[in-house]
Coordinates of all heavy atoms in Angstrom, one line a residue:
M191 N 81.9 161.4 113.0 CA 81.5 161.4 111.6 C 80.2 160.8 111.5 O 79.8 159.8 112.1 CB 82.6 160.7 110.8 CG 82.3 160.9 109.3 SD 83.5 160.0 108.3 CE 84.9 161.2 108.3
V197 N 79.3 154.8 106.0 CA 78.8 153.7 105.3 C 78.9 153.9 103.7 O 79.4 153.0 103.0 CB 77.4 153.4 105.7 CG1 76.8 152.3 104.7 CG2 77.3 152.9 107.1
I204 N 84.6 149.3 98.9 CA 84.4 147.9 98.7 C 84.0 147.6 97.2 O 84.5 146.6 96.6 CB 83.3 147.4 99.6 CG1 83.8 147.3 101.0 CG2 82.7 146.0 99.2 CD1 82.8 147.2 102.1
E207 N 83.4 151.6 93.1 CA 82.6 152.5 92.3 C 82.5 153.9 93.0 O 82.4 154.0 94.1 CB 81.2 151.9 92.1 CG 81.2 150.5 91.6 CD 80.9 150.4 90.2 OE1 80.2 151.3 89.7 OE2 81.3 149.3 89.6
L217 N 70.7 148.7 98.4 CA 72.0 147.9 98.2 C 71.8 146.9 97.0 O 72.8 146.7 96.2 CB 72.3 147.1 99.5 CG 72.6 147.9 100.7 CD1 72.9 146.9 101.9 CD2 73.7 148.9 100.5
G222 N 73.5 147.1 93.2 CA 73.9 145.8 92.7 C 74.9 145.1 93.5 O 75.8 144.3 93.0
A230 N 82.1 141.8 102.8 CA 83.2 142.7 103.0 C 82.6 143.9 103.9 O 83.3 144.4 104.8 CB 83.8 143.2 101.8
G232 N 80.0 143.8 105.9 CA 79.8 143.2 107.2 C 81.2 143.2 108.1 O 81.2 143.6 109.2
A237 N 84.6 145.5 112.3 CA 85.9 146.0 112.7 C 85.8 147.4 113.2 O 86.4 147.8 114.2 CB 86.8 145.9 111.6
L243 N 76.4 142.6 111.2 CA 75.5 142.7 110.0 C 74.9 141.3 109.6 O 73.7 141.4 109.4 CB 76.4 143.3 108.8 CG 75.5 143.5 107.6 CD1 74.3 144.5 107.8 CD2 76.4 144.1 106.4
Y246 N 71.9 140.8 111.8 CA 70.9 141.8 111.4 C 70.1 141.3 110.2 O 68.9 141.3 110.1 CB 71.4 143.2 111.2 CG 70.5 144.2 110.7 CD1 69.5 144.7 111.5 CD2 70.5 144.5 109.4 CE1 68.6 145.6 111.0 CE2 69.6 145.5 108.8 CZ 68.7 146.0 109.6 OH 67.7 146.9 109.1
D251 N 63.1 139.5 106.3 CA 62.6 138.6 105.3 C 63.0 139.0 103.9 O 63.7 140.0 103.8 CB 61.0 138.6 105.4 CG 60.3 139.9 105.0 OD1 60.9 140.6 104.1 OD2 59.3 140.2 105.6
G261 N 70.6 153.9 104.3 CA 70.0 154.5 105.5 C 69.8 153.4 106.6 O 70.0 153.6 107.7
L266 N 71.7 151.1 111.7 CA 72.2 150.0 112.4 C 73.5 150.3 113.1 O 73.7 150.0 114.3 CB 72.5 148.8 111.5 CG 73.0 147.5 112.0 CD1 72.1 146.9 113.1 CD2 73.4 146.5 111.0

Side-chain angles (χ1 to χ4, degrees):
M191 182 178 286
V197 171
I204 289 165
E207 308 260 337
L217 301 182
L243 184 59
Y246 173 75
D251 67 32
L266 177 64

